Amino acid sequence: DAGVIQSPRHEVTEMGQEVTLRCKPISGHNSLFWYRQTMMRGLELLIYFNNNVPIDDSGMPEDRFSAKMPNASFSTLKIQPSEPRDSAVYFCASRQTPTGAVQPQHFGDGTRLSIL
Amino acid sequence: GIQVEQSPPDLILQEGANSTLRCNFSDSVNNLQWFHQNPWGQLINLFYIPSGTKQNGRLSATTVATERYSLLYISSSQTTDSGVYFCASSSYGNKLVFGAGTILRVKS
């Protein structure tokens, strides 16, 4: 079975440019999560969706960040305009969330983002 | 929110040695996962273990939910076990909170 698929794997761009990260969750999973990993702050949750609806975006650092999930098989995380401090590895994870139960989250391979 | 602490922060082992990594969490949890981040940066699911004991080959994990800790055991360590081990948990919600990790280096 295919896991969580993220693209691109690496992105290098100049400060001020728009960056779009993409994620395809595991088929049948109805929860999707975006995380960011930095040396200073470790792994932290940015936003998550249940059934394509954003539930908690309290981890989104500022208005330059936005995330969408137009359908059950696709999500984007956008940064506009990008800044050097946004350089990090961004992970997407998905999970099947049946009513009344908790299942493990499965992570993609991440996107390594460098803003020059 | 929930706090997750891991120990030790780093560990150097000789190949073939055994080790125990610890994860303490500050609240009741409904989800606890152990991950291995390999040198390529991939987060590999090791265990989903909110309670009880599980084993997978040379690795095993135990979570004592009532005492708010989990242990990851690595036996007969190999150089390919090197990397960072993360514990992550959530407390009656969806937000996984990660510990700072244990950096493991296995020397041949």
Side-chain angles (χ1 to χ4, degrees):
Chain A
D1 288 343
V4 176
I5 299 172
Q6 292 187 244
S7 64
R9 288 296 313 277
H10 303 274
E11 174 91 8
V12 181
T13 192
E14 290 189 348
M15 175 176 146
Q17 297 297 307
E18 178 179 288
V19 173
T20 300
L21 310 181
R22 296 172 175 80
C23 176
K24 177 179 170 55
I26 293 172
S27 178
H29 284 193
N30 59 340
S31 297
L32 184 139
F33 307 80
W34 283 101
Y35 292 86
R36 179 172 69 174
Q37 184 177 30
T38 60
M39 290 294 293
M40 293 296 294
R41 299 174 66 89
L43 274 152
E44 52 183 350
L45 179 68
L46 300 178
I47 185 171
Y48 76 89
F49 297 82
N50 273 354
N51 297 315
N52 312 337
V53 176
I55 300 301
D56 185 345
D57 65 354
S58 59
M60 296 285 262
E62 46 196 278
D63 291 346
R64 297 184 297 105
F65 286 69
S66 63
K68 294 183 179 179
M69 191 164 185
N71 58 62
S73 59
F74 184 65
S75 177
T76 59
L77 178 66
K78 189 171 292 187
I79 308 172
Q80 167 63 17
S82 57
E83 297 183 3
R85 60 194 168 118
D86 302 330
S87 298
V89 181
Y90 291 81
F91 287 99
C92 177
S94 72
R95 181 180 76 185
Q96 186 178 38
T97 309
T99 303
V102 177
Q103 298 293 322
Q105 296 185 21
H106 299 265
F107 282 71
D109 287 344
T111 294
R112 186 173 297 274
L113 177 64
S114 297
I115 309 296
L116 307 177
Chain B
I2 191 170
Q3 308 291 320
V4 179
E5 293 184 354
Q6 291 186 243
S7 60
D10 51 77
L11 185 60
I12 300 175
L13 296 177
Q14 198 64 38
E15 196 170 29
N18 303 328
S19 64
T20 301
L21 281 55
R22 187 176 178 103
C23 171
N24 292 332
F25 40 92
S26 62
D27 202 349
S28 302
V29 297
N30 64 349
N31 183 8
L32 189 134
Q33 293 181 242
W34 282 98
F35 297 89
H36 174 215
Q37 188 163 38
N38 63 23
W40 295 271
Q42 296 170 310
L43 277 170
I44 310 299
N45 262 317
L46 297 178
F47 294 102
Y48 166 65
I49 188 166
S51 64
T53 298
K54 291 185 178 179
Q55 180 153 7
N56 184 2
R58 296 181 296 104
L59 302 182
S60 64
T62 295
T63 296
V64 183
T66 53
E67 297 188 21
R68 300 183 183 172
Y69 72 89
S70 183
L71 302 174
L72 177 69
Y73 305 96
I74 304 174
S75 65
S76 304
S77 59
Q78 301 176 357
T79 56
T80 51
D81 295 331
S82 297
V84 185
Y85 289 81
F86 289 103
C87 166
S89 66
S90 65
S91 178
Y92 300 107
N94 288 298
K95 301 174 67 167
L96 264 185
V97 175
F98 281 76
T102 293
I103 301 171
L104 175 65
R105 187 155 68 99
V106 180
K107 298 167 62 177
S108 59

